[in-house]
Amino acid sequence: VDGKQISSIGRGLCVLLGISLEDTQRELEHMVRKILNLRVFEDESGKHWSKSVMDKQYEVLCVSQFTLQCILKGNKPDYHMAMPTEQAECFYNNFLEQLRKAYKPELIKDGKFGAYMQVHIQNDGPVTIELESPAATVDPKQLTKLEKQQQRKEKTRTKVPSESSRERNAPRNKDDPSASSGAEGDVSSEREP
């Protein structure tokens, strides 16, 4: 952060945590259990997928990563599903506290919430595993109105274009000042990472 190293670990897990608007204490507790008990390390005899971070007494580095809650609107990232900053910071600190209670506090490290960070990860294997709490599984009955609209838009894009959309997609003259490269749009968010 700001050119200074604020945290580091040796062998262990790097957890990139995306906090959703819908996350609760229940999801937090589930993720803490999963992270600490996930068998991704080899045992003493070299057998893969046998030991957890706790079994090996390894470290855990946590980084809050709201961009994991991204939903694409065309080519533009939308972060409306990420928990607002103030709530997310409290949730993240509670997550760290629960990890420290369930394991060894000195082996749980973190970045700086809300800061622009350069994170250097040496991914051994490489092994990257996406974890979601059971409540995060997609149930069509629980989709928000916006997500349903997004799904309808995606389905519509796969259909044959109508006459008017064919006209819109017709090639434009390079010398035409109103021609667009298709690279319009801003991928920034109102929140800083």
Side-chain angles (χ1 to χ4, degrees):
V1 176
D2 296 326
K4 297 177 184 167
Q5 182 174 311
I6 63 164
S7 194
S8 69
I9 64 170
R11 295 231 0 143
L13 297 176
C14 179
V15 176
L16 304 176
L17 182 69
I19 305 169
S20 164
L21 270 173
E22 299 168 352
D23 284 335
T24 65
Q25 184 67 27
R26 182 173 163 233
E27 282 81 30
L28 184 148
E29 291 167 1
H30 173 84
M31 295 309 292
V32 166
R33 279 193 310 275
K34 270 296 189 202
I35 289 165
L36 294 177
N37 292 294
L38 187 66
R39 293 184 296 171
V40 292
F41 299 104
E42 59 185 40
D43 65 15
E44 295 72 31
S45 66
K47 182 179 176 193
H48 294 283
W49 315 109
S50 301
K51 297 290 183 177
S52 70
V53 72
M54 288 198 311
D55 294 332
K56 300 291 275 186
Q57 299 294 297
Y58 287 163
E59 296 173 291
V60 179
L61 174 64
C62 299
V63 178
S64 176
Q65 185 84 28
F66 82 91
T67 59
L68 290 170
Q69 294 300 323
C70 171
I71 293 176
L72 289 179
K73 286 185 169 183
N75 291 326
K76 183 177 179 178
D78 179 284
Y79 301 105
H80 77 279
M81 291 304 293
M83 188 178 282
T85 304
E86 297 76 28
Q87 288 175 276
E89 185 170 13
C90 183
F91 191 95
Y92 178 70
N93 289 331
N94 190 15
F95 172 77
L96 291 171
E97 184 180 319
Q98 295 300 317
L99 274 173
R100 289 177 176 129
K101 281 183 183 177
Y103 190 33
K104 295 181 174 183
E106 67 275 11
L107 296 182
I108 305 296
K109 309 288 176 75
D110 70 319
K112 183 176 180 186
F113 185 90
Y116 180 85
M117 292 177 277
Q118 290 188 352
V119 180
H120 300 271
I121 303 170
Q122 184 175 338
N123 198 343
D124 190 10
V127 175
T128 303
I129 297 176
E130 182 179 350
L131 297 177
E132 290 198 23
S133 62
T137 55
V138 178
D139 177 357
K141 294 176 187 173
Q142 295 178 343
L143 288 176
T144 66
K145 183 178 177 181
L146 190 57
E147 288 170 316
K148 287 179 183 176
Q149 289 172 347
Q150 180 69 22
Q151 286 181 344
R152 282 195 295 273
K153 285 179 186 175
E154 292 299 325
K155 285 180 185 174
T156 305
R157 288 184 187 132
T158 61
K159 294 180 181 175
V160 176
S162 65
E163 192 64 39
S164 61
S165 67
R166 279 192 210 124
E167 290 170 10
R168 279 193 303 260
N169 293 332
R172 292 185 178 175
N173 184 337
K174 252 170 86 174
D175 300 324
D176 181 1
S178 66
S180 169
S181 67
E184 296 172 355
D186 178 7
V187 294
S188 63
S189 146
E190 292 181 18
R191 284 194 264 154
E192 289 295 315

